[in-house]
Amino acid sequence: MALLLFLFLATTLTISQGSDQETIPHKVHLLRPQSGAGGDHVPGLSCLSWRLGVETNNVVGWITVPEECEDYVGHYMLGHQYRKDSRVVANQAILYAQSLSLARDGKDVWLFDIDETALSNLPYFAQHGFGVEPYNPTLFKKWVMEGQAPALPESLTLYKKLLSLGTKVVFLTGRPEDQRTVTVNNLRKAGYHTWEKLILKGSSYSGKKALVYKSSERKKLEESGYRIIGNMGDQWSDLLGTNVGNRTFKLPDPMYYIS
């Protein structure tokens, strides 16, 4: 029995990427048991349809994942489909980036959000649950301060391709300014070794929505002469508002909603 449990834990996060096997290196925890575990449909609610509504920005303003969908969301995030969906987004971004003719003046930039975009917090959510419990800022900050978040491999692949094409990268995150050092170290440890700017949320944006903060910072970038040729994030608040760039790319994230 112990051997079977070990094998299950060891393989839960082994994700197929083409013909290669790639593992996001972190501890794996069994999902907390719920009725309808792992199913696409539970009585009265299709979790698959709920996730589609989230990703298309038709389901908005939600606080937590529906309780009956926790296992569905957990299995989606820890399984093959999340990585496949992320790969489709990244591949489209690469095709778009390759089609561009850059000015070669150092002003073409690509924006990346950090959490669930450049870096993955799956180790945290696998331990604490997939969005059914209200957001716990104390526990999440503790995780962030450990600086152990792995890269989302598809985003890292895009990042490397952009650098090879001569595009500069700007990270624009909702993390607060007092997390700059740990964020810098975590990004570098995960494989993001260079960037043009790392923008964190300063105290002047306290209490303001992410959409307002990110729109304002993108406007500042463009006013200083940068051209935002691409913009990738996991939340619609990363991609809506003003000065969003020439093209946006939405990564999947049915775990939480940021307005």
Side-chain angles (χ1 to χ4, degrees), residues 14 16 20 33 81 99 108 131 136 148 158 165 208 221-222:
T14 301
S16 175
D20 299 325
Q81 195 60 49
S99 73
D108 292 310
N136 188 315
Q148 298 298 317
L158 171 61
L165 293 171
K208 294 185 178 180
L221 281 172
E222 293 192 332

Side-chain angles (χ1 to χ4, degrees), residues 178-229:
D178 63 4
Q179 293 178 1
R180 177 173 293 275
T181 298
V182 70
T183 300
V184 166
N185 292 338
N186 197 160
L187 285 169
R188 288 176 175 161
K189 182 176 181 179
Y192 300 96
H193 53 83
T194 186
W195 50 82
E196 183 73 359
K197 290 180 178 292
L198 170 59
I199 304 170
L200 294 97
K201 192 174 184 180
S203 59
S204 62
Y205 291 106
S206 178
K208 294 185 178 180
K209 292 184 176 181
L211 188 147
V212 173
Y213 154 61
K214 294 205 169 184
S215 293
S216 177
E217 290 300 319
R218 291 192 300 258
K219 182 179 180 181
K220 290 179 183 177
L221 281 172
E222 293 192 332
E223 287 177 344
S224 63
Y226 289 104
R227 294 178 295 272
I228 303 172
I229 61 173

Side-chain angles (χ1 to χ4, degrees), residues 28-76:
V28 183
H29 300 261
L30 289 171
L31 298 176
R32 293 180 293 178
Q34 298 284 345
S35 60
D40 285 352
H41 185 272
V42 293
L45 176 66
S46 166
C47 296
L48 178 60
S49 297
W50 176 83
R51 182 172 65 83
L52 175 64
V54 166
E55 299 301 355
T56 54
N57 205 32
N58 291 317
V59 178
V60 300
W62 51 280
I63 305 299
T64 60
V65 171
E67 183 176 359
E68 58 267 44
C69 293
E70 179 184 20
D71 279 0
Y72 168 77
V73 170
H75 284 289
Y76 169 75

